[in-house]
Every structure is written in structure tokens, then in C-alpha cells.
Amino acid sequence: MGKRGGRHRSTADTGGTRWFLRVLPLLLIAGGAGYEYLTPSGFSGSPLFSAAPLVAAPFFSLRSTILAGLGSIAAIVAVHLRYTRTFGSDIYTEIATVATVCVLACFINRIVRRSNEQLDSARQIAQAAQFAVLPEPADRIGGLAIAARYEAAQAGAFIGGDLYAVQDTPYGVRIIVGDVRGKGMGAVAAVAVVIGAFREAAEQEGSLEAVALRLERALAREGTRRSGIDDFEGFTTAVLAEIRRGSGRVRILNRGHPAPIVLLGDGTVRLIEPEEAALPLGMGELGAWPDRVTEAEFPGAATLLLYTDGLSEARNASGVFYDPAARLAGRIFPGPEELLAALALEVSAHTGGGARDDMALLAVRRP
């Protein structure tokens, strides 16, 4: 099945950070106790004792925050017993200070927990919306092996403007991969319009040119229905593909989108460039040009790779773009899912985990 995700992170680094956060309150209490024990009377370790519950508040439960405060107070009492059995006003003041900070830390803990719950709820809603608008295609459609992958540039984000869809139709398997201008809910609305129009047109229209025209009309109609560019995005780059049953060829219609790649069974890589450049969908008011379909060989064991510019425009620290055609030349992958997984890892390594744009990948393998 296809996969969605954000930037890949080092599990070792994450594990080390979590371990340090777990022991940090204990280290602060031990540091405060050691400071007061090793210094003469009158020197106070209350800053370290007070910091322990404050550190625990945003990262641990309310119970752990309270225990950190109680541990600090217990350490103060234990250390001062080294000097005397009777406590002066300075000791009570130090205990009161730590107790006050602990109460404040408990309030901080509840506020952070409530905010995290609201954030988790918002993420779940966003994920549900994304899955509803952009469902994963089946592993096999029309006898073809399919894999799709959505990589969000922002870790933990799900909503974006990249899209893909695969439809088994009377005219063969039809595919769309596109990129809506903009981000957020306006882009998601445009994605829903494009995919909805594509699924309907793919079943009814006899040619890719007619499908593209239906998409153009759907975007124009939706644009007039909504007010303001912030409410609905202006255009969508897209590539349409058609693989007819029993045919060893693929038909491609490109509307201002990165060129698809065919990976042959021997590792040969071929870009399917359009014969003539075309405007993206939704820009029909700037002029009318007839769509032109490009055909290319798509034999057995070949894989068709369609992607958004989050792949081809991913840059490293030196500003060098990731070139998928050059990187894939001479390589053979067991299946489409392995191909997409390799691409996702390589782009993450190329950008240092700092991709600036979402990336949608879709691979189709002819058995």
C-alpha cells in the first residue's frame, strides 16, 4: 500500500533526547542537593530545585510533576539535616519557594496537556480530511501494480495541495498526478474538485483531451462560485496518463507538470517530455491551445513514475536540485513500493531532512 509521512528522523537522536528529558528533573534535584551539601551554610540550591518541576511540567504527567516538586522539597530537608535538627526561616523560605513553583508547574502541566489534546484532535481531523480527499489507490488496478506515497514537507502535517488518483475505466487505467497552487484548506478544496471531476470524466470521456477539458471547466466553475483567491486556488499543474488493456504503450497529457519517467526492466530510464508546452489547468482565460497527447513505450516489467515538483525541485544545502532521472538510471527495483521508498529516503538525505515542498509519488508497474 502507499504511505504518507513527513521528514525522516534519526531514531537514535530521538531516543537520546527522550532519555535525557526523563532524567533531567532527577539531575536537577541531585545537582541542587550536591550544591547545598558541598557549600557552606547560607548557599542555596533552590534555583535547581525549582527548575525540576518546571522542566517536568511540559513533558510529563501531573503526577510526575508533583513528584518532582516533592522530591525537591525532600532533598532540601535531607541536606539541611546535615547541619542542624532545627530549621531556620531561610529553610522554610526555600521550601515555600519550591512549593510555590511546583504549584505553578502543575498549572502549566494542565495547560500544556489541554493544548496537546486540542492539537492531536486537529491533526486527526486534518488526517481524516486528507484521507477522504486523497484515498490510497489499491495495490492492483486493471492488472497493474500500483504504489502511491505522500510526503509532507512539514513533520506531522497531512493537508497539502499535491494529488493523485487512479481509475479503472472502459478506456483503460487512467491516472492523474497534480499540484495545486497554494497550501491549506483552499488547496484541499481545489484537490477535491480536481479529483472528483477526474473520476467522473475518466469514466465518461473517450480521450484524455476531453478529460482535461472537463477538469478545466470544473476548476473555472468552482473559481466563479467562490469569492477571492484565498478561498480557492488559481491553477493546478497536472499530468494525465492512460494505459489501455493489451497495449504496450502509455499515453500522456501534460499540463505544465514535471515530465513522467519510464523505468524499463533493464534499468534504462526515459523521460516522457511533452511535444509542446501547455498551461496548467485553471488558466484557460489566458488563451486556448489544443491539448496534445504524447505516446511512449510501456512494455512488460516497466514502471511508470509520476511525481510532483517536491521531488524534482528538492534542493540540498548547495542549492543543487535532485534529478530523479539521473539518480534512477541503471537501477532496478523489485516493485513500485520499493521504488517510492528509495526515492523518499534519497530526497530526505539530499535535503538534509529539510524539504520545502510536499511530494506526491505514484508508480505503476506493468507485470
Side-chain angles (χ1 to χ4, degrees), residues 67-154:
L67 288 176
L70 294 176
S72 295
I73 294 174
I76 293 172
V77 173
V79 169
H80 281 281
L81 287 176
R82 167 180 178 260
Y83 297 105
T84 179
R85 295 291 177 179
T86 60
F87 292 162
S89 60
D90 58 333
I91 300 176
Y92 289 115
T93 300
E94 187 175 355
I95 292 175
T97 300
V98 174
T100 302
V101 172
C102 183
V103 172
L104 293 175
C106 291
F107 280 109
I108 294 173
N109 177 270
R110 300 320 302 158
I111 293 173
V112 170
R113 291 296 167 189
R114 190 170 301 157
S115 298
N116 287 341
E117 290 172 0
Q118 293 174 348
L119 181 59
D120 289 341
S121 177
R123 284 177 175 170
Q124 290 174 7
I125 293 172
Q127 184 178 11
Q130 182 79 352
F131 288 170
V133 172
L134 197 65
E136 294 288 350
D139 290 342
R140 298 191 72 83
I141 298 177
L144 303 172
I146 309 290
R149 193 179 186 103
Y150 193 105
E151 294 283 328
Q154 183 179 358

Side-chain angles (χ1 to χ4, degrees), residues 184-310:
M185 294 307 299
V188 173
V191 168
V193 170
V194 172
I195 291 182
F198 167 77
R199 293 198 181 281
E200 182 179 2
E203 290 284 345
Q204 298 174 356
E205 301 295 343
S207 67
L208 286 182
E209 294 90 338
V211 174
L213 184 59
R214 287 275 291 271
L215 297 179
E216 188 78 50
R217 290 173 179 170
L219 284 172
R221 185 168 56 249
E222 192 69 14
T224 57
R225 189 176 70 84
R226 296 172 182 263
S227 59
I229 194 170
D230 291 335
D231 293 331
F232 193 76
E233 305 302 333
F235 63 86
T236 301
T237 67
V239 60
L240 299 170
E242 179 183 270
I243 305 170
R244 295 181 177 178
R245 294 175 180 82
S247 172
R249 302 181 68 81
V250 58
R251 306 179 78 243
I252 299 291
L253 191 154
N254 196 321
R255 282 294 202 98
H257 200 77
I261 298 173
V262 173
L263 292 80
L264 300 181
D266 61 358
T268 303
V269 170
R270 295 176 182 172
L271 274 171
I272 308 178
E273 297 280 5
E275 296 179 5
E276 294 184 14
L279 291 175
L281 298 169
M283 300 184 69
E285 72 278 1
L286 299 181
W289 289 271
D291 285 310
R292 297 186 182 277
V293 171
T294 302
E295 290 197 14
E297 292 185 5
F298 188 47
T303 302
L304 175 67
L305 173 65
L306 303 102
Y307 53 92
T308 58
D309 58 10

Side-chain angles (χ1 to χ4, degrees), residues 6 8 149 151 311 322 338-350 359 361:
H8 297 272
R149 193 179 186 103
E151 294 283 328
L311 175 68
Y322 180 88
E338 289 78 7
L339 167 62
L340 300 191
L343 285 172
L345 288 174
E346 289 182 12
V347 169
S348 179
H350 183 77
M359 177 175 67
L361 307 172

